[in-house]
Amino acid sequence: MTLKALVINCTLNKSNQPSNTRALIDEVVKIFDKKEMVTEIVTLADYNIEYGVTGEAISDQDEWPVIYEKVKEADILVIGSPIWLGQQSSLTTVLIERLYGASSETNEQGQYIFYNKVGGVVVTGNEDGAKHVSRSVIYALSHIGFTIPPNVDTYWVGEAGPGPSYIEAKGYENEFTMQHAEIMGYNLYHFARLLRENPIPSEGNVIQQTH
């Protein structure tokens, strides 16, 4: 059984620029690699994703359909977000809005399209807001149909006030963060495998489309 993971880094930087969030994402991906999963990491800032709550392309320049196809093919979705003023990045919000816009679609069993997929979140910042951002992203994923295993948020924040972020501060030496990156990686894998082998039964959750 080969599982697929999609990691969407919602840093405000392009993929050719340093990203503290990507550095922590890489720790989670190490677990996926151990389990011989197929993992793709996407930096959302590399794409032109237009604003809107819809799963359809908003214009000819809107590259959302490219991202959406990757999500549909994945068993696991991990969203990575930096923290700005205690909040998730603007690109994280755009991603969640676009996912929400597609969430009324259904799978072959008539369930919401994101059923039988698992989700988690990676957060980095330099003082506060990690649990707030994690809560926001995890609730959003759960609400649109993703399964949320236990302990699938990992984060790193520094001391209060301005200071070095994850890479410069050697956040990878923080035992708590590294332990939770490992727990997150394994729990996402375990639950994705469970759902692949035993999908959520359609009894009681087939969506009746209204027009």
Side-chain angles (χ1 to χ4, degrees):
M1 177 189 300
T2 301
L3 297 173
K4 293 183 179 180
L6 174 66
V7 183
I8 303 181
N9 186 3
C10 295
T11 174
L12 302 184
N13 295 333
K14 302 286 188 180
S15 58
N16 60 358
Q17 298 173 299
S19 167
N20 290 287
T21 306
R22 171 59 190 267
L24 183 50
I25 283 170
D26 287 343
E27 297 298 328
V28 177
V29 171
K30 287 177 182 178
I31 306 303
F32 295 163
D33 291 343
K34 284 183 180 181
K35 304 308 293 184
E36 298 183 343
M37 294 173 52
V38 175
T39 303
E40 181 178 5
I41 303 175
V42 169
T43 301
L44 205 63
D46 290 345
Y47 294 80
N48 178 42
I49 308 299
E50 298 192 13
Y51 302 99
V53 184
T54 175
E56 304 294 329
I58 293 173
S59 74
D60 292 341
Q61 290 74 45
D62 185 11
E63 295 181 290
W64 169 249
V66 177
I67 303 298
Y68 184 38
E69 286 303 313
K70 295 178 185 294
V71 174
K72 288 194 291 185
E73 293 173 1
D75 300 289
I76 296 170
L77 175 64
V78 175
I79 296 177
S81 178
I83 303 168
W84 299 108
L85 295 174
Q87 305 292 329
Q88 64 199 32
S89 74
S90 56
L91 288 180
T92 305
T93 299
V94 169
L95 172 61
I96 289 172
E97 289 170 345
R98 297 306 300 267
L99 289 171
Y100 185 38
S103 64
S104 61
E105 295 184 25
T106 54
N107 62 22
E108 294 178 356
Q109 286 69 46
Q111 301 163 312
Y112 284 128
I113 192 69
F114 300 127
Y115 267 46
N116 299 310
K117 299 179 184 295
V118 299
V121 61
V122 170
V123 182
T124 61
N126 71 348
E127 54 179 316
D128 198 7
K131 291 183 177 180
H132 169 76
V133 172
S134 297
R135 179 179 63 206
S136 175
V137 172
I138 285 175
Y139 168 77
L141 291 176
S142 173
H143 182 75
I144 63 177
F146 284 84
T147 296
I148 307 299
N151 302 120
V152 288
D153 62 310
T154 190
Y155 61 87
W156 184 90
V157 289
E159 296 180 357
S165 293
Y166 178 83
I167 296 173
E168 183 182 354
K170 298 182 179 179
Y172 50 83
E173 295 180 351
N174 184 286
E175 292 183 5
F176 177 87
T177 299
M178 291 301 97
Q179 182 182 52
H180 277 261
E182 182 176 32
I183 292 171
M184 175 180 176
Y186 276 109
N187 283 358
L188 287 170
Y189 166 78
H190 293 320
F191 273 73
R193 183 174 179 179
L194 285 171
L195 289 174
R196 177 74 77 82
E197 296 175 343
N198 300 282
I200 298 170
S202 59
E203 181 183 10
N205 55 53
V206 173
I207 305 307
Q208 302 297 322
Q209 298 289 353
T210 57
H211 301 284

